[in-house]
Amino acid sequence: MTPVQFPDLLPALPEIVLAVGSMALLMLGVFNGDRSARLVAWLSVLLLLLAGVLVAAGGGAERVTFFGAFVSDAFSSFAKMLILLGSITAILLGADQNERDGQARFEYPILIVLSTLGMLMMVSAADLISLYLGLELQSLALYVLAAFRRETVRSTEAGLKYFVLGALSSGMLLYGSSLLYGFAGTTSFEALATTLRAGEPAIGVIFGIVFLAAGLAFKVSAVPFHMWTPDVYEGAPTPVTAFFAVAPKIAAVALLLRVMLEPLGGLVDQWRQIIIFISVGSMVLGAFAAINQTNIKRLMAYSSIGHVGYALVGLAAGTAAGVRGVLIYMAIYLFMTAGTFAVILCMRQKDRMVEGIQDLAGLSRTRPLLALALAIFMFSMAGIPPLAGFFGKLYVFMAAIDAARTFPALYALAIIGVLASVVGAYYYLRIVKIMYFDEPAEGFDRNVSGEVHAIIGVAAVFTLLFFIYPAPLLSAAATAAAALVKG
């Protein structure tokens, strides 16, 4: 009898800790009820910090376990640290806000931890089956979070829309995976890469790539699979919207990078056209659709669609420099977006949330520091130097121009990206104009938690002073890119 080989658990230790810890927190919440909501929230933050320490302790060495279905390397470590940081931010933003709105339920931080567990599994997936398991674990928790305020029509509608369209995208992704398996005979990324490099791909493989890319494009809310984003961003509770905008977005972009460059790396000429199409569509739609928005959460939804388009410029390059640019972009995007949503959480009048852009009128006179922080984030998102957002766009556009020597269409992609940035700058600068030049509206409440102020401060300092010492982030992103694009 052949002995059963037990897989090495050390590469997956952060995920195992999150899985066990989330179950323990769930039992704590069940036995103590909603009065333990704040305790569970802080324990969830500690649990995510512990997972971050374990990810860092693992180093960047490539280790494969679970019979080739799970890989831990420098790329996954970089993405996991960003995901964990985004999840911690979402819990801190939500703890005080949920108490104010009478929604202090212990399930909120646990759902974020479970969703984060799925994201960590996604970016370490080395097999189509483990990819799908991680994706669905993330998505199931997100469906519940979107409809977290079940007594409001907007939140329930947001959860339902996200669930229905998410199920559709999962079906497309599964169909694409089944086509790849049918024509290649394997679900392993390594075996797929070897098989697909062997000769001219069959037409079924091309169709599989199209459906796989469509399913993943939904997860990053790229055009033409963006239709859920504005409604879900507006309808979901603001801390949940902040979570949607950072951690799941970073995880989905990282997954898209891994899938396109590892198993499908030999077919770059086939999938590059798809990526260019959705990148152009996302940049153009994000630039123009946000112009007439009056709700700041809907504006941020279209803004996030545009940012995904810019990030995908780096993927279209298909090089290590392109991957490095995407990772730098997503790291900067995390700070800009988390800071912006922290400011949005401060938009309370008479203890109720307001979301109109016009509610920011004259903020520079009533809350000058808050207005300054939001102005920094808006200028950065517009890509104005020397703020961090400028460098994010610079690195992805430079990667596209370098790769255009072998694929000239990337010149046009970079030019479209620059033009879309100019158009998009209008609605970012419009917010600054409203804050600094319009007559003051009713002032915002000042009783905001220290956690929200701390997040705004850290994000603003990073965004403003990134250019002084960018070396650690650039070096880490280069190492992560080298781990994904070998040779």
Side-chain angles (χ1 to χ4, degrees), residues 70-432:
F70 187 98
V71 60
S72 175
D73 55 14
F75 174 79
S76 66
S77 297
F78 185 93
K80 287 176 184 179
M81 295 301 285
L82 295 183
I83 292 165
L84 290 166
L85 188 57
S87 299
I88 290 169
T89 301
I91 293 176
L92 292 176
L93 289 177
D96 183 68
Q97 177 74 18
N98 290 339
E99 284 186 2
R100 290 170 177 271
D101 294 338
Q103 301 290 328
R105 302 196 187 107
F106 71 87
E107 294 96 334
Y108 173 78
I110 295 173
L111 286 168
I112 288 182
V113 171
L114 288 172
S115 179
T116 305
L117 171 60
M119 295 177 214
L120 301 195
M121 291 173 61
M122 282 164 52
V123 298
S124 281
D127 188 282
L128 291 174
I129 296 173
S130 57
L131 177 158
Y132 184 71
L133 288 174
L135 199 63
E136 284 306 291
L137 177 56
Q138 173 214 249
S139 298
L140 288 171
L142 292 181
Y143 298 150
V144 181
L145 281 169
F148 195 68
R149 286 191 190 156
R150 53 183 182 266
E151 73 283 354
T152 65
V153 175
R154 284 174 57 189
S155 184
T156 306
E157 181 185 352
L160 184 61
K161 284 181 178 177
Y162 189 42
F163 171 70
V164 172
L165 294 172
L168 175 64
S169 76
S170 293
M172 296 171 71
L173 189 141
L174 274 179
Y175 184 56
S177 299
S178 67
L179 285 172
L180 288 175
Y181 172 69
F183 282 89
T186 180
T187 58
S188 166
F189 285 3
E190 185 178 0
L192 275 170
T194 303
T195 303
L196 297 178
R197 282 193 178 96
E200 191 67 24
I203 188 67
V205 171
I206 305 300
F207 273 99
I209 293 172
V210 171
F211 279 101
L212 193 66
L216 293 174
F218 173 91
K219 301 302 181 184
V220 297
S221 63
V223 171
F225 306 100
H226 65 282
M227 66 290 292
W228 61 274
T229 314
D231 292 336
V232 173
Y233 273 44
E234 182 182 9
T238 303
V240 174
T241 306
F243 181 58
F244 273 53
V246 287
K249 190 87 68 180
I250 293 167
V253 168
L255 178 62
L256 193 58
L257 289 172
R258 189 179 286 283
V259 170
M260 292 301 173
L261 293 169
E262 277 196 346
L264 307 178
L267 304 179
V268 63
D269 292 333
Q270 280 75 19
W271 57 253
R272 180 182 270 150
Q273 303 165 55
I274 303 171
I275 299 301
I276 289 176
F277 170 75
I278 63 177
S279 175
V280 170
S282 300
M283 289 188 294
V284 171
L285 181 102
F288 285 96
I291 289 175
N292 291 324
Q293 298 302 318
T294 58
N295 182 291
I296 194 163
K297 286 168 69 176
R298 289 186 74 87
L299 183 143
M300 288 302 296
Y302 285 111
S303 170
S304 75
I305 293 169
H307 284 300
V308 166
Y310 298 125
L312 291 180
V313 172
L315 174 57
T319 60
V323 175
R324 173 175 171 259
V326 175
L327 294 176
I328 293 169
Y329 195 100
M330 295 314 293
I332 292 170
Y333 169 82
L334 166 64
F335 283 90
M336 294 188 302
T337 306
T340 302
F341 274 101
V343 173
I344 293 172
L345 278 172
C346 296
M347 294 173 63
R348 298 182 72 90
Q349 293 174 349
K350 297 175 182 175
D351 211 30
R352 67 178 185 86
M353 288 294 302
V354 292
E355 298 171 1
I357 293 174
Q358 207 56 45
D359 291 315
L360 293 165
L363 186 64
S364 63
R365 275 165 273 181
T366 57
R367 300 284 295 277
L369 291 179
L370 198 62
L372 175 63
L374 187 56
I376 289 171
F377 300 136
M378 293 298 102
F379 281 128
S380 181
M381 287 187 177
I384 294 174
L387 300 175
F390 166 76
F391 294 97
K393 291 178 180 177
L394 176 67
Y395 286 112
V396 291
F397 291 155
M398 283 176 56
I401 290 169
D402 288 342
R405 296 166 188 165
T406 56
F407 194 79
L410 291 173
Y411 283 123
L413 180 62
I415 292 170
I416 292 171
V418 172
L419 294 176
S421 294
V422 174
V423 175
Y426 166 77
Y427 58 82
Y428 293 124
L429 299 183
R430 173 170 158 254
I431 292 176
V432 177

